[in-house]
Amino acid sequence: GQSLEQPSEVTAVEGAIVQINCTYQTSGFYGLSWYQQHDGGAPTFLSYNGLDGLEETGRFSSFLSRSDSYGYLLLQELQMKDSASYFCAVRDEGNTPLVFGKGTRLSVIA
Amino acid sequence: DTAVSQTPKYLVTQMGNDKSIKCEQNLGHDTMYWYKQDSKKFLKIMFSYNNKELIINETVPNRFSPKSPDKAHLNLHINSLELGDSAVYFCASSQPGQGDDTQYFGPGTRLTVL
């Protein structure tokens, strides 16, 4: 089976940078994804790492180290609207379902 | 032009009742899913259908029965509702073969069992 660990809560100041870590244990590995979910909303896809390294999409970046079974989501120039829950998710094989971590609740404060 | 839609958005019902949630996607995806998100926001897959065929059935009570009349629709019927069924149920779709298997989620159905 798979298991993922991510911090339950993070608080950061508007304009700052925050990193949300995710460590995983899987029998195989088919990529690490990140999803954002605002209160009362649906999860939405943010980024995907299939290979080691950094993927950048605007203010958000995601990093993966397969040898360390570790990844992180980096949010820069934090805005109040970034307050949400962030989930990492993995698949251990091509046809298996995504397994989500328990989510990290990010609170951005002024 | 909603990508994944589901109805109803809210469902309040008594224990023991039977209810259904409907889901439709207009993305042309081959795979659809039902997820359950509990009060602690833990998001767990329940079922997955690919081209109307059930491919994933996680450990879910058999009171839950999915049905896919075509690849654009995946409905969820729940019999004999229990208090523990209270949660938000999300429908999602994706296109297999893409490395990231991006899930496109519907808005969710908040089920409250009294």
Side-chain angles (χ1 to χ4, degrees):
Chain A
Q2 306 108 311
S3 68
L4 298 99
E5 292 289 331
Q6 52 180 128
S8 58
E9 293 181 1
V10 173
T11 300
V13 177
E14 193 175 16
I17 299 173
V18 73
Q19 179 174 311
I20 299 174
N21 298 321
C22 175
T23 57
Y24 59 87
Q25 285 186 319
T26 57
S27 50
F29 182 75
Y30 211 78
L32 179 70
S33 300
W34 289 93
Y35 286 77
Q36 178 192 59
Q37 184 181 25
H38 287 99
D39 285 347
T44 57
F45 174 79
L46 285 179
S47 70
Y48 169 79
N49 295 75
L51 300 174
D52 290 353
L54 194 67
E55 295 284 338
E56 297 180 74
T57 309
R59 295 187 297 112
F60 294 2
S61 304
S62 58
F63 172 82
L64 174 66
S65 169
R66 288 175 296 170
S67 60
D68 295 322
S69 297
Y70 163 77
Y72 65 72
L73 181 69
L74 191 74
L75 296 86
Q76 302 182 73
E77 300 172 20
L78 279 171
Q79 302 175 9
M80 301 298 283
K81 67 178 182 179
D82 298 329
S83 293
S85 292
Y86 292 85
F87 295 86
C88 57
V90 295
R91 282 195 298 158
D92 63 3
E93 291 177 19
N95 290 324
T96 57
L98 274 180
V99 174
F100 286 80
K102 294 185 177 180
T104 298
R105 185 171 183 85
L106 171 65
S107 299
V108 180
I109 58 176
Chain B
D1 59 344
T2 305
V4 183
S5 59
Q6 49 183 112
T7 55
K9 189 164 175 63
Y10 299 96
L11 192 49
V12 181
T13 189
Q14 299 286 334
M15 265 195 322
N17 284 351
D18 304 338
K19 291 293 178 187
S20 293
I21 308 172
K22 295 186 175 182
C23 178
E24 177 181 1
Q25 56 99 0
N26 63 7
L27 297 167
H29 288 164
D30 287 335
T31 306
M32 295 185 72
Y33 311 82
W34 279 110
Y35 286 88
K36 179 180 180 180
Q37 187 170 47
D38 61 23
S39 58
K40 296 183 179 178
K41 303 208 81 172
F42 185 43
L43 192 63
K44 184 170 170 56
I45 191 167
M46 300 172 70
F47 301 102
S48 172
Y49 271 72
N50 184 272
N51 265 320
K52 304 190 297 176
E53 298 293 325
L54 179 67
I55 56 172
I56 293 170
N57 182 350
E58 294 295 300
T59 308
V60 175
N62 57 16
R63 299 181 295 104
F64 290 79
S65 51
K67 194 161 191 177
S68 181
D70 56 62
K71 77 171 196 177
H73 295 84
L74 180 61
N75 303 323
L76 183 65
H77 188 76
I78 316 170
N79 289 325
S80 303
L81 278 156
E82 301 177 356
L83 293 177
D85 298 332
S86 294
V88 181
Y89 292 84
F90 287 101
C91 176
S93 72
S94 73
Q95 187 56 39
Q98 298 177 349
D100 56 19
D101 194 24
T102 300
Q103 310 278 294
Y104 293 82
F105 286 84
T109 296
R110 182 174 293 277
L111 172 64
T112 303
V113 182
L114 304 174

